[in-house]
Amino acid sequence: MTADAAIEAIDVARTYALDGVSVPALRGVSLTIAHGEHVALVGPSGSGKSTLMHLLGGLDQPTSGRLRIGGRDVAGRTPAEMAHLRNATIGFVFQSFHLLSRTSALDNVALPLVYRGMGARERRERAAVMLERVGLGHRVGHRPNQLSGGEQQRVAIARALVTEPAVLLADEPTGNLDQTTGAAVLELLEQLNTAEGVAVVLVTHDREVAARARRQITMRDGRIVSDTAVDEAGEAAG
Amino acid sequence: MRLAEAWRVALDALRANRMRSGLTMLGMVIGVGAVVILVALGTGTKNEVQAQVEGLGSNLLLVVPGQVSLNAAPAVSRLDQSDLDAIIRIAGDRDRVAVSLTSGENVRAGNEQVFTSLLGVLETTPKVFLRDVRSGAYLTRTDVETGRRVAVLGSTVARTLFGERDPVGQQVTIAGVRFRVIGVFAPLGQSLGVDRDNEVHIPLSTAQRLLATKRVDAFAVKAPDAETIDRLGRDIVAELHRRHPDEEFSAVTQEQILGVLGDILGVLTAVLAAIAGISLLVGGVGVSNIMLVSVRERTREIGLRMALGARPRDIGLQFLLEAVLLTTVGGLLGIAFGVGASLATAALSPVPAALTWWSIALAFGVSCAVGIVFGVVPAQRAGRLDPVVALRSE
């Protein structure tokens, strides 16, 4: 196991029981996400990339295999311990933003810090810094319905990063955005990846989006079928 | 911090669904209000009955035919003058024995008329019971022994027949026979909606003649002290039983009367409390139901919070607080409603209502408890959601 791995999966499988029939979603995946990496996870729907993302994000536990998140093995951990692990290590960005609608941008961003037990004042200070960081310093008091889609996703990114996670998991982050806005959001993610050193894992089926990452992992039928580094020009090397 | 957030979220959720929260609370308002009102009425009635029984005088023994209990019908009296003499012998002093022969009669004076309780009594009544004469005088032994047609009026009767005039020395007609008014009682007031001042006392002998009977309905004996009261009661009952072998008699003390009345009021209060309890239960079920809806509606939010690091406990607490908030706010409104209704009842009607701090504390405690009991299942359900499934829900 690599010491500086943010997430490490060894022969991880995940099987769902549907009406007594076990359906394999992941059939043995080994993968290491290093600190500061920029990875795109691609594949058709049903390929297992969502399942893999849930596992990498500590939202789910593997049926077999070993999974270490932030250097800690997830095996046998209680839901509360997993919650703590997610809060400490992972930032999530969702396709549909998942912002609390009756809550200001500032308090949306501060939300993960609540579950860290941080005081309200410090939470808001940190959230304000983070909103400034994603270019929304002038929108702190706005509610999600007062923000554009691109702005909402920026708020979500600020929320994902306010805990200073090792890994930011973004599930189709541009799926609900037009091309220009989507590109700006991707640019922000890349910029944060470089500047903050947070590893970014993008789940997407958009080839163009995937091409911007420095590493592409392609999945099919619950397995990784290719895992390649991408050169600066955006062309797959292998 | 987590608790503060849970409170904030719970409050916010209630505000977001004002109509729904209000209707859910209404169940609690009614339930808790009913408990407060019923306890107030029960306590008020009990206090009043107690004050009334104690207000009769001290160390009293009431002797009546039949049994005194919840399930006994009142018996018709076969007691008469000779029984009275026997009881006076046992009591050792005529002044310790009061008697009554009761009948409902019309009393007239001039054009005014009132239906009242006519009591044939001895001159000893004020020595046994606490009963003050406001003007004039009470009956004398001579009045009783010679069967004079003289009457002492209760204050209601006096006011109805004579208004502000002093009735003493005036004539009244009772069951077609003329009586001279010799005194008027000081008012006793109402009790449980019954006017205790609507009565007229006349000598027992006169009453027996008027009603063409020899009977006596009940005796009251004043014991010299609390220690002798039980033995005196046993002696009297034994003597009466010897004189009327095929009949039952009871000699009851004030404590026993209070005990019997307490039993009646206790059963009544229990039944009413059970009904109020059912409405609380229904209110609680409503809370449970709404919380389940709320959990379902906010499944995505639950998934998000879990993804961001909320533990099952944090989520559960959030929903439990929401339920407790619903029931306690409802409970507080119910207490306000109950207190208001009790005070209004006591002020505007003859029904007594006494508020007690413990009933209010109990109502509040029950509100919290209902929230916890009926909130725990939805809260657990929320806390046990799988974050992956919750995030995906629509």
Side-chain angles (χ1 to χ4, degrees):
Chain A
M1 293 212 174
T2 344
D4 67 335
I7 304 178
E8 194 169 21
I10 300 168
D11 199 24
V12 162
R14 180 67 171 94
T15 305
Y16 294 102
L18 287 178
D19 300 325
V21 183
S22 55
V23 179
L26 278 187
R27 304 162 186 264
V29 166
S30 295
L31 169 73
T32 301
I33 307 288
H35 284 289
E37 262 198 297
H38 185 194
V39 185
L41 194 55
V42 294
S45 47
S47 62
K49 61 183 195 300
S50 284
T51 304
L52 181 57
M53 199 203 71
H54 292 145
L55 287 172
L56 298 181
L59 290 168
D60 196 5
Q61 297 218 356
T63 316
S64 67
R66 292 191 66 184
L67 177 62
R68 289 165 67 86
I69 297 174
R72 275 172 290 184
D73 201 317
V74 302
R77 291 193 185 266
T78 64
E81 288 169 337
M82 292 301 286
H84 179 76
L85 189 60
R86 287 193 295 272
N87 186 266
T89 322
I90 310 289
F92 289 95
V93 175
F94 305 96
Q95 179 174 0
S96 51
F97 321 138
H98 269 307
L99 298 175
L100 299 182
S101 58
R102 294 168 47 82
T103 306
S104 69
L106 189 71
D107 285 332
N108 262 297
V109 173
L111 189 59
L113 299 175
V114 167
Y115 298 112
R116 203 169 261 205
M118 189 181 281
R121 197 196 185 122
E122 197 184 348
R123 285 201 308 255
R124 290 176 153 226
E125 277 170 12
R126 288 214 198 179
V129 170
M130 223 42 241
L131 276 172
E132 193 71 50
R133 191 76 193 73
V134 299
L136 287 177
H138 57 301
R139 289 274 199 256
V140 287
H142 287 58
R143 293 192 173 179
N145 60 6
Q146 298 168 312
L147 300 171
S148 71
E151 286 174 325
Q152 289 188 49
Q153 196 59 300
R154 282 166 188 268
V155 172
I157 290 168
R159 180 182 64 192
L161 290 177
V162 78
T163 54
E164 297 172 344
V167 182
L168 190 149
L169 288 176
D171 187 4
E172 301 281 8
T174 59
N176 278 6
L177 302 175
D178 64 59
Q179 206 154 13
T180 322
T181 320
V185 163
L186 290 175
E187 225 160 83
L188 175 64
L189 285 174
E190 284 155 19
Q191 194 192 327
L192 292 165
N193 170 244
T194 317
E196 316 277 330
V198 59
V200 173
V201 178
L202 266 172
V203 177
T204 182
H205 60 252
D206 185 335
R207 283 273 153 201
E208 260 179 69
V209 172
R212 297 176 68 133
R214 291 196 298 274
R215 180 180 168 197
Q216 269 190 32
I217 297 170
T218 310
M219 299 196 62
R220 187 164 295 131
D221 295 332
R223 289 197 178 83
I224 293 177
V225 291
S226 82
D227 184 348
T228 54
V230 181
D231 64 21
E232 292 300 311
E235 292 295 321
Chain B
M1 280 350 110
R2 288 164 183 237
L3 191 65
E5 171 73 3
W7 271 117
R8 200 189 63 72
V9 172
L11 263 174
D12 199 52
L14 296 193
R15 275 201 297 260
N17 299 294
R18 277 170 216 269
M19 185 74 173
R20 190 164 86 186
S21 307
L23 287 174
T24 311
M25 279 179 196
L26 193 59
M28 294 303 298
V29 173
I30 292 169
V32 171
V35 168
V36 170
I37 292 169
L38 292 173
V39 171
L41 294 184
T43 311
T45 307
K46 203 169 171 183
N47 288 351
E48 188 160 319
V49 166
Q50 191 162 354
Q52 193 184 339
V53 172
E54 283 169 356
L56 290 174
S58 53
N59 300 330
L60 285 179
L61 201 58
L62 303 179
V63 181
V64 291
Q67 278 189 322
V68 176
S69 77
L70 278 183
N71 42 14
V76 174
S77 175
R78 298 247 182 91
L79 298 169
D80 61 19
Q81 188 68 38
S82 62
D83 295 307
L84 171 60
D85 296 337
I87 287 176
I88 290 173
R89 255 199 321 281
I90 294 170
D93 184 351
R94 182 181 166 91
D95 282 350
R96 293 193 177 283
V97 180
V99 31
S100 68
L101 165 60
T102 312
S103 175
E105 299 294 340
N106 272 311
V107 182
R108 280 197 299 113
N111 293 326
E112 305 296 334
Q113 171 168 317
V114 62
F115 187 77
T116 190
S117 296
L118 180 70
L119 276 79
V121 295
L122 300 181
E123 78 287 355
T124 53
T125 304
K127 290 169 181 153
V128 175
F129 296 108
L130 294 173
R131 206 68 212 268
D132 292 329
V133 172
R134 187 180 64 194
S135 73
Y138 197 67
L139 309 172
T140 63
R141 182 158 186 179
T142 315
D143 293 334
V144 173
E145 286 181 344
T146 60
R148 281 193 187 134
R149 299 201 300 271
V150 290
V152 179
L153 308 184
S155 61
T156 299
V157 178
R159 198 176 53 251
T160 312
L161 296 181
F162 296 99
E164 296 307 310
R165 286 180 294 139
D166 187 359
V168 175
Q170 305 287 322
Q171 301 275 327
V172 293
T173 308
I174 302 171
V177 177
R178 292 171 80 110
F179 281 73
R180 187 166 52 86
V181 178
I182 58 164
V184 178
F185 285 117
L188 286 172
Q190 292 209 336
S191 141
L192 307 178
V194 176
D195 186 355
R196 298 170 66 199
D197 296 313
N198 187 10
E199 63 178 27
V200 172
H201 287 201
I202 61 173
L204 176 66
S205 46
T206 316
Q208 284 172 334
R209 204 167 62 237
L210 187 70
L211 302 173
T213 179
K214 296 249 179 264
R215 76 171 205 273
V216 168
D217 288 332
F219 298 95
V221 180
K222 189 177 177 69
D225 50 58
E227 282 71 47
T228 52
I229 194 163
D230 286 337
R231 193 172 50 78
L232 191 60
R234 280 197 302 276
D235 290 350
I236 290 171
V237 169
E239 172 64 12
L240 289 176
H241 198 64
R242 196 182 61 72
R243 298 170 60 87
H244 306 270
D246 53 344
E247 282 191 63
E248 283 204 80
F249 299 94
S250 308
V252 293
T253 62
Q254 282 156 298
E255 279 76 34
Q256 286 166 329
I257 292 172
L258 283 179
V260 171
L261 291 174
D263 284 353
I264 296 171
L265 290 174
V267 170
L268 213 71
T269 307
V271 169
L272 293 176
I275 293 168
I278 290 170
S279 66
L280 263 182
L281 201 70
V282 172
V285 170
V287 169
S288 225
N289 199 8
I290 282 304
M291 290 314 299
L292 288 172
V293 171
S294 182
V295 169
R296 174 156 294 189
E297 273 181 358
R298 282 148 69 197
T299 301
R300 256 162 76 92
E301 179 194 325
I302 294 167
L304 171 75
R305 287 177 183 272
M306 285 178 157
L308 299 184
R311 298 166 299 179
R313 250 176 61 190
D314 298 321
I315 300 294
L317 188 66
Q318 174 188 326
F319 282 94
L320 192 60
L321 282 180
E322 193 177 323
V324 171
L325 211 59
L326 269 175
T327 59
T328 48
V329 172
L332 287 174
L333 292 174
I335 287 170
F337 165 63
V339 168
S342 301
L343 293 177
T345 304
L348 303 175
S349 81
V351 180
L355 290 163
T356 52
W357 67 267
W358 65 261
S359 73
I360 290 167
L362 180 76
F364 186 74
V366 167
S367 311
C368 295
V370 166
I372 291 169
V373 168
F374 288 94
V376 81
V377 168
Q380 278 181 344
R381 181 170 288 196
R384 283 181 191 154
L385 283 173
D386 179 343
V388 171
V389 176
L391 273 171
R392 267 204 219 115
S393 82
E394 284 312 310

